[in-house]
């Protein structure tokens, strides 16, 4: 159970680290190759681009987990714990509906790419691996929204303050 809990707590963090390191190392190698050897590869640019796409979608899921998405919370300062929890639950439900629809349509794009066997230009690898960034991100968002929903229901039931994430400004 500890392994699953550790994965649940740190999955996005580790995935973000892997894709970020891959992006930085590949970019550094490509810059050195271009400046020193006057030669660059087509695959390096692809790895950087697709790593960045994975970073964006996994980062969006991490932001859902930490409640770090940009929001206007002026009204929240004037609400008690219960109305605040209800507002967060409503927001999570709306985001959940959008994420489910987006997951369906993003998976449809992956399915079409797999059906026609499209490959990347430089790596000559199936585009399915790279197009899966979007459904993976939305699936992680849905999972984190379910967890957030359960956490907010518990706060609503107990009357405790709802989790609001870290504040950028006070």
């Amino acid at each position: 159970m500890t392994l699953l809990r550790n994965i649940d707590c740190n999955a996005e963090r580790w995935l973000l680290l892997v894709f970020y390191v891959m992006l930085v190392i590949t970019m550094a190698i490509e810059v050195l190759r271009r400046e020193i050897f006057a030669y660059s590869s087509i695959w390096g640019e692809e790895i950087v681009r697709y790593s960045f796409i994975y970073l964006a979608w996994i980062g969006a899921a991490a932001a859902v987990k930490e409640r770090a998405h940009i929001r206007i919370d002026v009204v929240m300062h004037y609400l008690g714990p219960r109305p605040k929890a209800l507002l967060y639950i409503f927001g999570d439900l709306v985001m959940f509906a959008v994420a489910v629809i987006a997951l369906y349509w993003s998976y449809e794009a992956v399915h079409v790419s797999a059906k026609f066997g499209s490959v990347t230009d430089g790596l000559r690898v199936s585009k399915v691996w790279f197009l899966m960034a979007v459904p993976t991100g939305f699936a992680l968002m849905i999972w984190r929204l379910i967890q957030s929903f359960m956490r907010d229901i518990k706060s609503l039931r107990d009357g405790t303050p709802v989790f609001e994430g870290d504040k950028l400004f006070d």
Side-chain angles (χ1 to χ4, degrees), residues 1-10:
M1 193 60 152
T2 306
L3 176 65
L4 290 177
R5 188 175 306 271
N6 194 11
I7 289 171
D8 184 50
C9 290
N10 298 310

Side-chain angles (χ1 to χ4, degrees), residues 2-133:
T2 306
L3 176 65
L4 290 177
R5 188 175 306 271
N6 194 11
I7 289 171
D8 184 50
C9 290
N10 298 310
E12 288 93 349
R13 184 177 303 168
W14 285 105
L15 288 170
L16 288 171
L17 178 67
V18 166
F19 285 110
Y20 186 73
V21 167
M22 191 166 42
L23 181 145
V24 169
I25 288 174
T26 306
M27 192 180 302
I29 289 170
E30 286 302 303
V31 167
L32 289 174
R33 288 175 70 177
R34 190 174 303 133
E35 295 301 321
I36 294 173
F37 302 114
Y39 172 78
S40 65
S41 66
I42 191 168
W43 57 264
E45 183 267 335
E46 281 186 357
I47 288 176
V48 170
R49 180 183 338 132
Y50 295 127
S51 294
F52 185 76
I53 292 169
Y54 268 98
L55 274 172
W57 288 106
I58 294 169
V64 167
K65 176 185 173 195
E66 298 297 325
R67 262 210 180 115
H69 280 284
I70 295 173
R71 64 182 180 267
I72 301 172
D73 59 356
V74 174
V75 175
M76 296 294 208
H77 295 293
Y78 301 107
L79 297 176
R82 288 189 182 275
K84 194 180 285 190
L86 287 170
L87 204 52
Y88 275 118
I89 289 169
F90 175 73
D92 285 349
L93 287 173
V94 170
M95 191 184 288
F96 183 82
V98 170
V100 167
I101 293 167
L103 176 65
Y104 173 78
W105 286 109
S106 63
Y107 182 73
E108 185 70 23
V110 172
H111 179 70
V112 168
S113 178
K115 181 178 175 182
F116 291 108
S118 60
V119 295
T120 62
D121 296 326
L123 293 170
R124 308 303 296 167
V125 176
S126 174
K127 279 191 177 180
V128 168
W129 292 106
F130 304 111
L131 292 173
M132 278 302 292

